[in-house]
Amino acid sequence: MEIGKVITLDDNKDYLLLEKVELNHKEYLYAVEVGKDDMPTSNYHFLELFHESDGDYTEEVEDKNIIEAITSIVTIKYLNDNINDEQAA
């Protein structure tokens, strides 16, 4: 699953993949639900990514500690990217 791609989950809703994070040897996705107008909504989701022989699948993350860790990692990455962009300008 690639960042920037839209995937459809079992709930028949589309999600734009914003970030992929590795934490404790597991992969997680940070995604936003996409509305019928192809615009992002205010519904953000944290998904654990599993790789199986018959393909990849996801499960919603419910553990608050993991969600907080993913949020921190994504925030730090975003801030670092912005600093690097400013220094390059």
Side-chain angles (χ1 to χ4, degrees):
M1 293 189 188
E2 294 180 39
I3 301 307
K5 296 282 185 174
V6 174
I7 62 171
T8 303
L9 297 182
D10 290 340
D11 60 3
N12 288 321
K13 294 181 182 176
D14 292 334
Y15 295 87
L16 173 63
L17 302 179
L18 300 173
E19 280 292 337
K20 186 185 288 187
V21 172
E22 186 174 321
L23 179 65
N24 298 327
H25 307 290
K26 295 181 179 180
E27 287 183 287
Y28 296 94
L29 299 168
Y30 179 54
V32 62
E33 185 179 330
V34 177
K36 295 181 193 286
D37 58 357
D38 290 331
M39 296 299 295
T41 67
S42 60
N43 297 324
Y44 291 85
H45 295 267
F46 298 87
L47 308 167
E48 185 172 351
L49 179 59
F50 296 92
H51 302 284
E52 297 291 331
S53 59
D54 59 343
D56 296 341
Y57 72 96
T58 61
E59 287 184 9
E60 187 93 26
V61 175
E62 296 182 12
D63 184 322
K64 300 285 186 210
N65 293 325
I66 293 175
I67 291 171
E68 287 177 9
I70 295 169
T71 302
S72 295
I73 292 168
V74 169
T75 301
I76 290 168
K77 182 181 183 320
Y78 175 78
L79 292 173
N80 284 338
D81 287 349
N82 281 342
I83 289 170
N84 291 337
D85 288 347
E86 289 175 7
Q87 290 175 348

